[in-house]
Amino acid sequence: MSKSTRSSDATRADRGDQADIQAVSRVSQILSLFEPATPEMTAVEVAERLGLNRTTAYRYCTSLAAAGLLERNAEGSYVPGGLLLQLGAFAIGHRSVINLAPRHMRALARATQTTVVLSLWGLTGPVVSRVEENISAVVVVSVRVGSHLPLDSAQSKVFLAYHADQLSMERLMANLPGQAREELRADVERVRTVGHCSAMSTPGVVAVGAPVFDEYGICATIAVVGPDNTLSMADDTPELRVVVDTARALTQELGGHYRPDDLDQRAV
């Protein structure tokens, strides 16, 4: 085989690898479109959301349906398929924090008279993975499991502060417009300083959150959520102390190291 032939073969192989990587990336983008607010989508809607031509979007959707990652309902829309549900349940079921958190969350909901939310990191932000509501409260804030939280939420800022892959976190923040990006960076830096976060990403609704760590680093955030007339964003609010204590207790059960404790030790 001549040198030019070998070079041509290598070039074709590289192009094939790049095409495979692009296809995987496209599949990821399509699957990430599905969430509680968007439980089903047509191929046309996929094309519009991702800027694809309709033929390409239809080809991807039918291929994903054939693989069991999507299913087509009677109306012609696509919904998450059986294989995707199976993998999702398997992945969540093997997160120790999901098994240990419920007892702590119920106690926290009773102590604070609020809704308690546990979030895990998804593709580009936190995903609500478990919710405990305080049904005895007059006003209950409902949060849907599976919801993707925006980057300006308290839970997102905690993850951005402590996530092991800070380069990826910086890339996420870099996608925001100038002023919003700088404000978010300042908020994330403050989280690193104080070890918790309070925010109002939804008008009238306050979330107070803290990080939960396992042996590998941050694995979840736990937060209380309530109306702004009953839940304060101040650093001396009693609800914040209970949230942080709960996060520390859960971290200890998971065999992790509660990193904000380092700040407490340096302040002594």
Side-chain angles (χ1 to χ4, degrees):
M1 181 182 294
S2 66
K3 182 177 180 180
S4 61
T5 301
R6 288 195 298 270
S7 177
S8 178
D9 289 343
T11 300
R12 284 195 294 271
D14 288 342
R15 289 174 179 170
D17 290 343
Q18 292 172 2
D20 290 342
I21 293 171
Q22 184 178 17
V24 171
S25 176
R26 187 69 72 196
V27 166
S28 175
Q29 291 175 332
I30 293 173
L31 296 180
S32 67
L33 295 175
F34 295 91
E35 57 180 337
T38 314
E40 59 182 55
M41 299 195 76
T42 64
V44 172
E45 290 170 331
V46 169
E48 292 173 349
R49 293 281 295 273
L50 297 181
L52 302 173
N53 66 61
R54 296 187 178 185
T55 301
T56 299
Y58 180 77
R59 187 170 66 249
Y60 269 105
C61 289
T62 53
S63 296
L64 289 171
L69 292 170
L70 293 180
E71 291 179 3
R72 194 171 186 181
N73 61 24
E75 290 74 32
S77 297
Y78 292 91
V79 299
L83 179 58
L84 196 62
L85 298 176
Q86 177 181 323
L87 292 173
F90 175 81
I92 291 177
H94 279 69
R95 300 286 184 94
S96 297
V97 66
I98 292 293
N99 298 323
L100 296 175
R103 175 172 57 86
H104 294 277
M105 294 176 68
R106 287 190 290 269
L108 181 57
R110 289 194 299 268
T112 61
Q113 298 289 294
T114 62
T115 297
V116 180
V117 177
L118 185 80
S119 302
L120 305 181
W121 186 258
L123 187 64
T124 57
V127 178
V128 175
S129 301
R130 188 175 179 88
V131 176
E132 290 289 342
E133 294 181 349
N134 175 44
I135 58 176
S136 64
V138 176
V139 178
V140 176
V141 176
S142 294
V143 183
R144 289 180 290 186
V145 171
S147 298
H148 295 253
L149 301 177
L151 283 182
D152 63 348
S153 68
Q155 296 94 318
S156 290
K157 292 173 184 178
V158 171
F159 267 115
L160 290 170
Y162 293 105
H163 199 286
D165 188 353
Q166 282 297 303
L167 181 58
S168 293
M169 300 302 102
E170 181 57 36
R171 287 171 178 165
L172 284 176
M173 289 189 284
N175 291 325
L176 298 175
Q179 182 176 353
R181 180 176 63 249
E182 296 310 312
E183 289 177 353
L184 180 57
R185 282 174 175 162
D187 288 343
V188 170
E189 189 59 38
R190 183 175 185 276
V191 173
R192 293 194 187 102
T193 300
V194 300
H196 53 77
C197 184
S198 300
M200 188 190 297
S201 59
T202 300
V205 178
V206 171
V208 179
V212 177
F213 301 90
D214 61 14
E215 58 185 310
Y216 303 106
I218 187 171
C219 63
T221 59
I222 192 165
V224 295
V225 182
D228 60 352
N229 62 344
T230 60
L231 184 59
S232 171
M233 291 194 295
D235 286 342
D236 59 353
T237 179
E239 289 86 358
L240 172 60
R241 184 74 265 167
V242 183
V243 171
V244 171
D245 288 345
T246 301
R248 283 179 170 149
L250 189 49
T251 293
Q252 184 176 9
E253 281 197 45
L254 289 165
H257 170 61
Y258 196 79
R259 295 183 187 179
D261 280 341
D262 292 342
L263 297 170
D264 295 339
Q265 293 167 10
R266 286 199 295 271
V268 175

